[in-house]
Amino acid sequence: METTKQLTLRFASIIPYEESDPFPLENIPFGVFVNPNEQEAHCCTRVSSFVIDLALLENDRLIEADNVFRISSLNRFISKGKDYWLYVRKTLQQLLTRDNPNSLTPEQLAKYAFNSSDAKMHLPLKIGHFTDFSSSKNHAQNIAVMFKGKDGSLHNNFVHMPIAYHSRASSIVVSGGQIRRPKGQLRMGEWGATDKLDFELEIGTIIGNANKLGHPVKLQQAEDYIFGYTLLNDWSSRDILLWENVPLGPFNSKNFCTTISPWIITAIALSPFKHPLPPQDPQPLPYLHSPSNFTYHIDLSVSLSTGKTEQTILTSNFKNMYWSPTQQLTHHTVTGCNLQIGDILGSGTVSGKGPRECGSLFELSGGESIVLENGEERKFLHDGDIVTLRGQCKGEGYVIGFGECTGTVIPALDNSEYY
């Protein structure tokens, strides 16, 4: 791990920033933006409030690359492998560190860096497949109680394997977009716009390596298949879900939209924040069991803006997950399923044990309306509501931030659009 080296870099950046800045040199996230001068999508990184165009650095041979960054997705970069990811990370840290023989001059920095407020962010990946898990025991227990009463219990299989369903990669959008309220079958004989629209606070795992069809990934190798992580909002229609869920699970209640944050935080940057999993009882089967299974200590929060006020309505932490990202990945491939570079595995709703640590509005409200600071009430989302997910890891003298994952709810289409 690079903890010591990263702490010294903080004091030498050619871009000044505060200790609380979410994008220090310890971070080096990756994304895609539209270069405002060329009006072309390029791969990029970010330091403090500046987006750094990697395609321009590639053009000037400051990064060894062969048409890796002048494209509209990170997939080609990711396909180069872990050694190349680390090379690019270290090269960027050197270029952006003062008193380094390779550091950028102010004139060079002005050429390659753009103010983040002027940067239109792009979906960072070409996403082939999206699988969403349910891996928070706290969330599963809370939902069981809501549906079955105080004696509600988990499904028997929850503690034996990570549960998941396949959702739609085509409807994944980048932060900042509009989320149209869906219409569908709400219950027997009833069709219309959902009035039980909800968010789900999740972390998305970005696959960085592909396994061959028919060849599972062993748990001890799974970490090598992960490029990084992003915030993920699995928008959900609870009334459509309740009607369609049996016998095959979520479909139209989930496939209409998923939002991810524009920045992918690498597994390398998060390595100092690994956290042991909570005890797993019963002990998983051998292919899922390891004493070194881990999650991450990531502080998470969700804020809700109603047009009249914005407030943080819940907080949580990724350390509370029952199943780890590596266990999810291993279980996904145990039958020989082949993952591909750029695939996303959603963690499932991230919930803690406290009353304000629930990862969805439905779970937070417990079926009853919550009262906001301005007196407004919410049981589910209203048109015009803006939901923002945030995440960060706090190190010794620095912060690793995920950026924001934001979406605005807009009204459903008129019935004439359907029939």
Side-chain angles (χ1 to χ4, degrees):
M1 293 188 288
E2 302 175 300
T3 309
T4 302
K5 185 182 294 184
Q6 290 175 344
L7 288 174
T8 60
L9 283 171
R10 178 174 62 88
F11 302 105
S13 172
I14 63 174
I15 298 174
Y17 49 77
E18 300 294 328
E19 188 174 289
S20 59
D21 195 298
F23 296 104
L25 285 181
E26 291 87 350
N27 196 337
I28 309 294
F30 292 96
V32 174
F33 84 125
V34 178
N35 181 299
N37 294 335
E38 300 185 18
Q39 291 300 305
E40 186 177 85
H42 295 168
C43 299
C44 60
T45 188
R46 179 170 174 174
V47 176
S48 189
S49 59
F50 289 93
V51 174
I52 313 297
D53 191 324
L54 300 180
L56 300 184
L57 293 174
E58 176 185 16
N59 286 350
D60 291 347
R61 300 184 183 279
L62 294 173
I63 296 178
E64 293 181 13
D66 182 16
N67 195 27
V68 173
F69 298 117
R70 189 176 281 275
I71 51 179
S72 61
S73 79
L74 293 167
N75 294 58
R76 187 174 297 175
F77 165 53
I78 295 174
S79 70
K80 303 283 283 186
K82 182 175 285 189
D83 289 344
Y84 188 71
W85 311 339
L86 186 59
Y87 156 73
V88 171
R89 174 182 170 82
K90 288 185 175 180
T91 299
L92 289 169
Q93 288 175 329
Q94 291 170 358
L95 290 172
L96 296 165
T97 301
R98 285 201 318 269
D99 304 323
N100 186 296
N102 298 321
S103 60
L104 299 177
T105 65
E107 293 76 19
Q108 287 176 310
L109 182 63
K111 175 182 179 181
Y112 305 128
F114 299 83
N115 195 297
S116 59
S117 61
D118 299 325
K120 180 181 178 182
M121 299 306 295
H122 195 282
L123 193 68
L125 299 160
K126 183 179 180 182
I127 303 164
H129 303 279
F130 169 39
T131 303
D132 200 33
F133 283 84
S134 176
S135 293
S136 167
K137 192 174 183 180
N138 296 320
H139 173 70
Q141 287 179 327
N142 289 340
I143 296 299
V145 169
M146 289 178 68
F147 281 110
K148 302 176 185 178
K150 64 179 181 179
D151 296 324
S153 60
L154 298 172
H155 290 293
N156 291 335
N157 58 4
F158 183 90
V159 295
H160 293 277
M161 61 181 179
I163 305 299
Y165 67 94
H166 292 276
S167 195
R168 290 293 298 177
S170 62
S171 55
I172 296 178
V173 300
V174 73
S175 174
Q178 296 178 326
I179 315 304
R180 187 171 297 280
R181 183 178 297 275
K183 287 186 175 181
Q185 288 199 32
L186 307 176
R187 54 190 63 86
M188 186 180 297
E190 183 175 341
W191 182 91
T194 178
D195 60 3
K196 294 180 172 57
L197 184 62
D198 200 2
F199 61 82
E200 290 190 355
L201 169 63
E202 302 191 24
I203 294 287
T205 300
I206 310 302
I207 300 302
N209 195 1
N211 61 302
K212 293 182 180 180
L213 179 64
H215 293 264
V217 176
K218 293 181 180 180
L219 185 61
Q220 58 267 35
Q221 300 168 338
E223 196 173 356
D224 293 332
Y225 284 76
I226 297 174
F227 173 68
Y229 301 88
T230 188
L231 297 175
L232 186 150
N233 186 342
D234 180 33
W235 302 93
S236 302
S237 169
R238 301 300 183 188
D239 39 10
I240 296 176
L241 177 64
L242 187 62
W243 172 232
E244 74 177 3
N245 201 42
V246 178
L248 295 181
F251 180 41
N252 285 333
S253 57
K254 298 278 193 174
N255 68 5
F256 59 94
C257 194
T258 302
T259 304
I260 62 172
S261 51
W263 297 108
I264 299 174
I265 311 305
T266 64
I268 299 168
L270 291 180
S271 59
F273 305 98
K274 289 181 178 179
H275 192 279
L277 279 182
Q280 293 182 320
D281 183 23
Q283 180 175 298
L285 293 172
Y287 80 98
L288 288 174
H289 174 63
S290 171
S292 58
N293 276 330
F294 66 90
T295 180
Y296 295 97
H297 194 298
I298 305 173
D299 292 315
L300 298 166
S301 66
V302 177
S303 69
L304 177 63
S305 173
T306 66
K308 298 179 179 179
T309 185
E310 179 179 3
Q311 72 174 80
T312 298
I313 59 173
L314 65 88
T315 60
S316 191
N317 195 294
F318 198 56
K319 70 180 181 180
N320 294 317
M321 300 304 283
Y322 186 83
W323 295 105
S324 71
T326 50
Q327 287 175 313
Q328 292 174 345
L329 190 155
T330 294
H331 184 65
H332 201 309
T333 68
V334 71
T335 55
C337 175
N338 55 323
L339 296 175
Q340 299 175 343
I341 291 170
D343 287 355
I344 296 184
L345 309 184
S347 64
T349 307
V350 183
S351 297
K353 294 183 178 180
R356 289 288 177 178
E357 295 178 351
C358 300
S360 69
L361 188 54
F362 178 55
E363 184 185 355
L364 180 68
S365 69
E368 303 293 333
S369 294
I370 63 170
V371 180
L372 304 178
E373 292 172 352
N374 67 348
E376 290 184 272
E377 296 185 0
R378 287 293 185 277
K379 185 185 296 185
F380 294 100
L381 297 172
H382 293 190
D383 292 345
D385 285 352
I386 302 173
V387 178
T388 302
L389 279 54
R390 296 181 176 89
Q392 65 175 17
C393 304
K394 296 179 181 179
E396 296 181 19
Y398 69 100
V399 172
I400 300 293
F402 281 70
E404 295 183 347
C405 180
T406 298
T408 303
V409 179
I410 63 173
L413 293 171
D414 186 80
N415 283 351
S416 63
E417 297 285 344
Y418 297 91
Y419 56 84

